[in-house]
Amino acid sequence: MLKLSQMATAVALVVAGSAAMAGEVEVLHWWTSGGEAKSVAELKKIMQGKGHTWKDFAVAGGAGDNAMTVLKSRVVAGNPPAAAQIKGPAIQEWAAEGVLANLDATAKAEKWDSLLPKVVADIMKYKGNYVAAPVNVHRVNWMWANKAVLDKAGVKSTPKTWDEFFAAADKIKKAGLIPVAHGGQNWQDFTTFESVVLGVGGAKFYNDALVKLDQKALTSDTMKKSLETFRKIKGYIDPAAPGRDWNLATAMVIKGEAAFQFMGDWAKGEFAAAGKVPGKDYICAAAPGTANAYTFNVDSFAMFKLKDAGAQKAQGDLAASIMGTEFQEVFNLNKGSIPVRLNMKMDKFDDCAKLSAKDFVDTAKAGTLEPSIAHGMAVKPAAEGAIKDAVSQFWNDDKISVADGIKNIAKAAQAQ
Ligand code: BGC
């Protein structure tokens, strides 16, 4: 039996111990739509379960442009969050600034090297050290369709080529419905654009033009055809698209106001949150001409160097939780993506996720797995931003000729 004074000391030690082990994590992300918010709530729950305090730092704005602007000002002010949603080549740029924490201890203890596809692990490392934890794999080259709308318009099968797509879109227009649900931000234009380039030119062309930024590919006839196809799609959107958020465009497909949307599978998170079932209420299909290719978009969190021991412990736990099986399953079921961790059971996932998982592996083998340029995976942020602007200007201004659109995009690709 402990004496009272001994007990008091023991209690004090436990309290002090847990105080040192628990910490606050302020997490910057841009997951604010219905499906996204449900997904990030799962991470919060897991962290709270470990005794940490979650400080939500959500900055609305699809694809994270606003979030990245806010992040820069916080870091410049010397007050970074504990963790931030940072992806692709931007991870390298932040690491080069010397502000990111080294996650190797967690990565080693949790065996990340053997649990991640190499293509993903490489993105998470700076000079061989892990500086970010991957969350998921989103596929970008999807086309979402409302089944009842297709039936109503007499579209018998999901279009597999762009010619089939425009024939279907004409039928939908005739039936008095909106063929394509589109929103009004440059990244949404860019998302559609990259699927068009992939569909028109194929994976090798996509890689030459939008990953290697090869000037010959960027000024080729295939790019001309891509821009013509891209512009043609605009004829099938509704006049209220400018300013619309991506999830509101998804809602148009969910409600049967529109037939199709070109969007990554975070859109599936919206269908799921609305209780819709793939195959029955809606269809997920590769964007026309892209069934044998895959544009990937891996979400990840980087941690910033912090002095407080509790905060550091919380960062380690956050990194370990993100790669843990519990989170990988529940988060991705809500988010529309697939687990990034290898060898996860997929039995709870729907057919779209199963197709994505299969195509991820198959396209990697076939050499047609490509990083998404519109979602920060393919090129450095400066070039990405400049090309995105040029693509969006072309989309929004019908007076820009295809020849000038090509010139502007090729010039933007030289931005450093
Ligand atoms: C992110 C997704 C997010 C989407 C819309 C993408 O860039 O990778 O996680 O759901 O933007 O905001």
Side-chain angles (χ1 to χ4, degrees):
M1 277 289 276
L2 290 173
K3 283 191 200 140
L4 214 62
S5 62
Q6 282 176 320
M7 263 175 73
T9 316
V11 169
L13 280 176
V14 170
V15 171
S18 63
M21 298 314 270
E24 179 184 272
V25 269
E26 187 184 16
V27 184
L28 174 81
H29 62 89
W30 62 89
W31 289 328
T32 55
S33 77
E36 290 175 332
K38 270 182 92 172
S39 313
V40 73
E42 297 295 340
L43 188 54
K44 177 178 175 179
K45 231 193 277 168
I46 292 174
M47 286 302 283
Q48 285 173 338
K50 294 191 172 179
H52 299 300
T53 309
W54 176 277
K55 191 168 172 201
D56 204 46
F57 186 4
V59 180
D65 293 345
N66 301 344
M68 289 304 101
T69 307
V70 173
L71 177 64
K72 271 179 207 142
S73 63
R74 278 284 300 267
V75 178
V76 167
N79 180 26
Q85 195 182 343
I86 301 178
K87 313 188 297 183
I91 295 172
Q92 306 298 314
E93 292 197 345
W94 280 106
E97 296 290 321
V99 289
L100 297 188
N102 183 320
L103 303 178
D104 278 347
T106 306
K108 219 168 167 197
E110 304 286 327
K111 306 198 172 52
W112 287 6
D113 271 341
S114 61
L115 292 174
L116 286 175
K118 190 174 178 304
V119 61
V120 176
D122 288 348
I123 301 171
M124 302 301 133
K125 288 179 185 177
Y126 176 68
K127 297 192 171 158
N129 305 116
Y130 278 98
V131 291
V135 170
N136 59 0
V137 181
H138 271 303
R139 187 182 197 172
V140 179
N141 60 315
W142 283 114
M143 178 176 71
W144 307 93
N146 181 301
K147 209 160 177 303
V149 170
L150 298 193
D151 289 348
K152 203 164 151 190
V155 177
K156 302 240 159 34
S157 57
T158 316
K160 292 193 174 51
T161 63
W162 287 107
D163 286 344
E164 284 176 20
F165 170 78
F166 289 117
D170 282 333
K171 285 188 177 171
I172 292 152
K173 217 177 191 175
K174 259 205 197 123
L177 293 155
I178 302 163
V180 179
H182 192 71
Q185 288 121 15
N186 58 5
W187 71 270
Q188 296 189 54
D189 307 335
F190 205 20
T191 300
T192 300
F193 175 77
E194 76 170 38
S195 284
V196 171
V197 171
L198 186 67
V200 169
K204 177 164 186 321
F205 177 74
Y206 175 97
N207 191 280
D208 287 343
L210 298 181
V211 182
K212 294 201 185 87
L213 302 182
D214 171 46
Q215 285 291 320
K216 231 170 101 195
L218 284 165
T219 52
S220 65
D221 280 350
T222 310
M223 189 49 85
K224 180 168 173 268
K225 181 114 194 286
S226 302
L227 279 183
E228 285 164 358
T229 308
F230 180 55
R231 175 157 278 166
K232 198 166 170 196
I233 295 173
K234 200 184 161 194
Y236 295 92
I237 68 172
D238 68 315
R244 180 187 288 142
D245 285 330
W246 68 270
N247 52 317
L248 299 180
T250 309
M252 291 165 66
V253 179
I254 292 175
K255 288 191 257 172
E257 294 165 8
F260 299 109
Q261 183 184 22
F262 297 103
M263 190 51 64
D265 43 22
W266 45 94
K268 205 186 74 189
E270 301 304 299
F271 283 99
K276 302 294 180 193
V277 178
K280 184 173 154 269
D281 305 310
Y282 70 98
I283 296 163
C284 56
T290 73
N292 297 324
Y294 191 120
T295 36
F296 69 88
N297 168 25
V298 174
D299 284 311
S300 50
F301 282 97
M303 316 282 160
F304 284 85
K305 282 181 183 159
L306 295 179
K307 291 208 178 74
D308 179 67
Q312 286 176 6
K313 170 76 172 75
Q315 286 179 320
D317 280 354
L318 181 64
S321 303
I322 284 172
M323 272 290 289
T325 51
E326 180 194 356
F327 170 77
Q328 287 282 320
E329 181 177 88
V330 72
F331 177 88
N332 287 304
L333 281 170
N334 284 296
K335 188 70 170 60
S337 37
I338 56 170
V340 67
R341 184 184 165 119
L342 295 169
N343 305 322
M344 287 279 299
K345 273 214 241 104
M346 292 296 289
D347 49 334
K348 289 200 188 129
F349 286 84
D350 62 29
D351 289 347
C352 307
K354 284 180 184 142
L355 179 65
S356 176
K358 181 183 178 303
D359 285 352
F360 184 69
V361 174
D362 290 353
T363 56
K365 273 191 206 135
T368 56
L369 176 66
E370 297 294 339
S372 161
I373 186 169
H375 292 277
M377 291 287 122
V379 301
K380 289 197 172 148
E384 183 196 324
I387 300 171
K388 175 161 55 189
D389 284 346
V391 166
S392 187
Q393 275 158 15
F394 175 79
W395 173 267
N396 284 299
D397 185 351
D398 294 339
K399 290 199 288 295
I400 300 177
S401 67
V402 168
D404 283 342
I406 288 179
K407 259 190 235 150
N408 296 344
I409 292 168
K411 185 158 177 259
Q414 291 167 331
Q416 291 296 321

